[in-house]
């Protein structure tokens, strides 16, 4: 520790490198609330800062952990092996090129700010994770974030034109979506273990024509999931289709009483857009009615729609505030299997003896499942861990995947071999070692040795 402090204190600019984390406690954790204290924290303000810091750390075998806003849920941005926490949050420039329909942004730019700037020019950046008002674009690239609109419009990697950054040797690298070997796609979603993004060029599209917002509530969560499966089976792809079960709804109503939603066992929030948006809304309404909704409401009122979507975007914080300990997982199954997964979550809630709820991006079968403890006890954590294992086991049995958008980090790395065979895992490790020969980029993540 003392040696690392001496090296970094001499090498990095004073006033932007810190060693006392009593004043920087947020940088010891991410949204998973798993605490690991780095040896140092450095605020980079330019690409040159990142290159220099990486070269210093590479020379002295000091781990480097890259951090945006710290909104991740898998411990991907915590310092499990000490080292330097390198924050890019000050690299937040945004430049919109309306003629080229593109945006050049720094990795610290807040996703919601990019959406707002694009909208000023009649343009649209579709990937919008629920944390879009907090999360950074660099973090979105690290996790290949999706969001509420990902089924219709795609995820982060689908909007990357090119990216600049730094490899683990401290060398400048530039890739684009035509790079050989699909190198750009390899780096996106690598959770800071292969590359440090320093500038990103994003593709923008024209703002879609607004359609309708549909609220449908049900007396049974499985019934709501069947509506999702039926909608997707028709070939209709709403711009957004979100699911919440009854317990999640109770959390959000308690969190924000000013925007209360009618108590129910489940709801769907659906939005259409584009030239066929209104026709699609009519067909969705017909499908909902076949499943006897308790409430069905369609609106084109922007204020009412915003109120409903605020409820959804507040949901993660609402669920977190309802418990002493929250374990959040983001499994994903084919939409046709979503009813089975929702039914299994109900079984977990009824049998585990702890509170379990779920919500998520129903259109692509991405379900966020939360295990909630009213108090932090060893016995309670053991029950939650068992529930997570059972959830992962059932997800894979339904031809699903262990993560839809949160990544692997440290919380899921022990389960990676449940989904991939040993030869595939060895191939992934060879890739990591070939691109990070010193093992300094975000060590301890994704893989279990």
């Amino acid at each position: 520790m003392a040696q690392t402090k001496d090296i970094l204190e001499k090498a990095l600019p004073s006033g932007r490198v810190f060693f006392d984390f009593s004043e920087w406690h947020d940088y010891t954790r991410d949204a998973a609330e798993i605490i690991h204290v780095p040896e140092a924290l450095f605020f980079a303000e330019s690409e040159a800062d990142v290159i220099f810091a990486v070269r210093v750390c590479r020379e002295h075998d000091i781990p480097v952990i890259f951090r945006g806003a710290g909104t991740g849920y898998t411990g991907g941005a915590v310092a499990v092996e000490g080292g330097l926490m390198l924050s890019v949050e000050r690299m937040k420039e945004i430049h919109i090129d309306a003629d080229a329909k593109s945006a050049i942004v720094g990795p610290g730019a807040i996703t919601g700010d990019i959406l707002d700037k694009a909208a000023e020019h009649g343009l649209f950046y579709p990937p919008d994770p629920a944390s879009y008002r907090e999360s950074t674009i660099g973090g979105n690239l690290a996790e290949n974030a999706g969001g509420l609109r990902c089924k219709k419009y795609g995820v982060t990697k689908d909007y990357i034109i090119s990216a600049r950054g730094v490899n683990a040797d401290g060398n400048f690298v530039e890739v684009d979506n035509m790079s050989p070997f699909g190198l750009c796609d390899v780096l996106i979603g690598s959770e800071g273990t292969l590359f440090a993004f320093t500038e990103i060029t994003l593709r923008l599209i024209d703002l879609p024509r607004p359609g309708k917002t549909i609220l449908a509530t049900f007396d049974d969560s499985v019934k709501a999931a069947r509506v999702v499966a039926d909608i997707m089976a028709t070939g209709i792809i709403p711009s957004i289709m979100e699911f919440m079960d009854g317990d999640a709804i109770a959390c959000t109503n308690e969190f924000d009483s000013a925007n209360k939603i009618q108590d129910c066992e489940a709801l769907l929030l659906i939005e259409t857009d584009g030239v066929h948006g209104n026709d699609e809304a009519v067909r969705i309404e017909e499908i909902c009615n076949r499943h006897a909704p308790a409430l069905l409401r369609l609106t084109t009122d922007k204020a009412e729609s915003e109120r409903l979507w605020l409820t959804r975007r507040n949901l993660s914080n609402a669920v977190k505030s309802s418990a002493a300990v929250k374990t959040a997982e983001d499994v994903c199954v084919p939409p046709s299997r979503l009813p089975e997964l929702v039914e299994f979550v109900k079984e977990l809630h009824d049998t585990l003896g702890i509170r379990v709820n779920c919500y998520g991006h129903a259109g692509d079968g991405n379900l966020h499942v939360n295990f909630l403890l009213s108090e932090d006890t060893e016995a309670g954590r053991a029950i939650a861990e068992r529930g997570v294992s059972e959830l992962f086991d059932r997800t894979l049995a339904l031809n699903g995947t262990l993560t839809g958008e949160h990544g692997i980090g440290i919380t899921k790395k022990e389960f990676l071999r449940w989904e991939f065979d040993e030869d595939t895992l060895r191939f992934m490790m060879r890739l990591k070692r070939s691109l990070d020969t010193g093992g300094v980029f975000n060590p301890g993540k994704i893989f279990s040795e």
Side-chain angles (χ1 to χ4, degrees):
M1 171 66 180
Q3 183 182 14
T4 297
K5 182 177 185 295
D6 289 343
I7 292 167
L8 297 177
E9 194 168 34
K10 291 176 182 176
L12 299 178
S14 62
R16 288 195 281 133
V17 59
F18 303 92
F19 304 93
D20 181 0
F21 282 85
S22 62
E23 297 182 15
W24 304 99
H25 187 66
D26 283 348
Y27 295 85
T28 68
R29 62 189 177 187
D30 64 5
E33 297 292 343
I34 299 170
I35 295 176
H36 290 277
V37 181
E39 293 166 89
L41 167 67
F42 174 55
F43 291 97
E45 295 181 352
S46 67
E47 186 174 80
D49 280 347
V50 178
I51 291 173
F52 182 72
V54 168
R55 287 179 177 174
V56 170
C57 290
R58 179 70 177 85
E59 180 183 354
H60 297 281
D61 294 323
I62 299 170
V64 187
I65 305 90
F66 303 100
R67 184 182 175 97
T71 57
Y73 276 100
T74 62
V78 296
V80 297
E81 297 185 14
L84 175 67
M85 179 70 65
L86 196 160
S87 170
V88 296
E89 65 190 275
R90 297 183 183 180
M91 299 171 63
K92 56 186 178 181
E93 60 278 1
I94 301 172
H95 172 71
I96 305 295
D97 185 335
D99 292 334
K101 293 185 180 179
S102 66
I104 300 175
V105 301
I110 300 299
T111 312
D113 292 344
I114 298 172
L115 269 72
D116 292 343
K117 293 280 189 181
E120 292 174 5
H121 298 270
L123 298 171
F124 183 47
Y125 177 67
D128 63 338
S131 62
Y132 80 126
R133 287 297 175 194
E134 305 166 82
S135 63
T136 63
I137 193 67
N140 291 176
L141 264 73
E143 303 294 345
N144 192 22
L148 279 64
R149 292 181 169 87
C150 63
K151 180 64 178 179
K152 181 169 184 176
Y153 288 103
V155 295
T156 300
K157 70 179 180 64
D158 299 310
Y159 292 86
I160 305 303
I161 297 173
S162 64
R164 297 162 56 105
V166 184
N167 67 11
D169 291 327
N171 295 322
F172 167 77
V173 175
E174 187 164 11
V175 295
D176 60 36
N177 53 17
M178 298 299 290
S179 295
F181 307 108
L183 186 56
C184 197
D185 281 356
V186 170
L187 300 178
I188 297 168
S190 61
E191 302 186 34
T193 65
L194 302 180
F195 194 69
F197 293 98
T198 58
E199 182 183 276
I200 305 105
T201 302
L202 302 172
R203 178 172 66 91
L204 306 177
I205 65 174
D206 292 327
L207 272 171
R209 181 185 300 178
K212 293 184 178 181
T213 299
I214 303 162
L215 170 65
T217 68
F218 299 88
D219 58 9
D220 177 32
S221 58
V222 178
K223 187 186 296 185
R226 288 187 183 126
V227 171
V228 173
D230 287 356
I231 291 171
M232 300 313 299
T234 68
I236 297 172
I237 304 179
S239 57
I240 312 177
M241 183 157 55
E242 293 292 301
F243 167 90
M244 303 182 206
D245 75 2
D247 193 82
I249 295 164
C251 289
T252 193
N253 282 343
E254 183 178 349
F255 181 77
D256 185 4
S257 58
N259 285 316
K260 285 190 71 171
I261 293 177
Q262 175 182 326
D263 289 332
C264 56
E265 288 303 309
L267 69 76
L268 296 175
L269 266 177
I270 305 170
E271 187 173 285
T272 63
D273 66 10
V275 295
H276 302 296
N278 289 334
D279 293 338
E280 290 176 346
V282 171
R283 294 175 66 192
I284 290 169
E285 183 181 20
E286 292 170 353
I287 294 169
C288 288
N289 277 324
R290 290 205 298 265
H291 292 269
L295 172 69
L296 181 61
R297 187 163 78 244
L298 281 71
T299 183
T300 56
D301 181 78
K302 186 174 181 180
E304 184 177 8
S305 294
E306 286 297 322
R307 183 182 66 80
L308 291 170
W309 289 116
L310 178 63
T311 299
R312 167 60 185 92
R313 294 191 183 280
N314 282 340
L315 194 47
S316 180
N317 289 330
V319 172
K320 182 178 179 180
S321 72
S322 70
V325 178
K326 169 190 170 185
T327 300
E329 302 296 348
D330 72 318
V331 294
C332 192
V333 297
S336 62
R337 312 300 296 271
L338 185 65
E340 296 168 80
L341 183 60
V342 167
E343 187 165 24
F344 181 69
V345 173
K346 284 180 62 177
E347 292 174 12
L348 289 176
H349 178 82
D350 294 339
T351 60
L352 281 181
I354 62 173
R355 194 174 179 183
V356 184
N357 65 28
C358 63
Y359 56 89
H361 316 317
D364 65 348
N366 186 348
L367 200 64
H368 301 287
V369 182
N370 305 287
F371 300 83
L372 308 174
L373 303 179
S374 58
E375 55 184 9
D376 189 358
T377 66
E378 187 174 332
R381 286 185 179 269
I383 293 171
E385 288 175 6
R386 188 176 85 238
V388 168
S389 295
E390 293 179 10
L391 172 68
F392 288 169
D393 187 55
R394 181 59 62 93
T395 297
L396 294 175
L398 294 172
N399 297 318
T401 181
L402 300 183
T403 179
E405 58 185 342
H406 288 173
I408 300 299
I410 58 177
T411 63
K412 295 184 181 182
K413 68 178 187 175
E414 300 297 332
F415 297 98
L416 204 59
R417 55 180 30 90
W418 288 22
E419 185 168 351
F420 300 100
D421 60 42
E422 292 300 323
D423 286 342
T424 302
L425 292 173
R426 278 193 292 270
F427 184 78
M428 293 180 188
M429 277 299 303
R430 286 174 61 191
L431 177 64
K432 161 67 174 172
R433 288 169 178 158
S434 67
L435 296 181
D436 181 11
T437 55
V440 298
F441 270 15
N442 212 7
K445 311 297 169 59
I446 303 179
F447 302 106
S448 293
E449 296 286 354

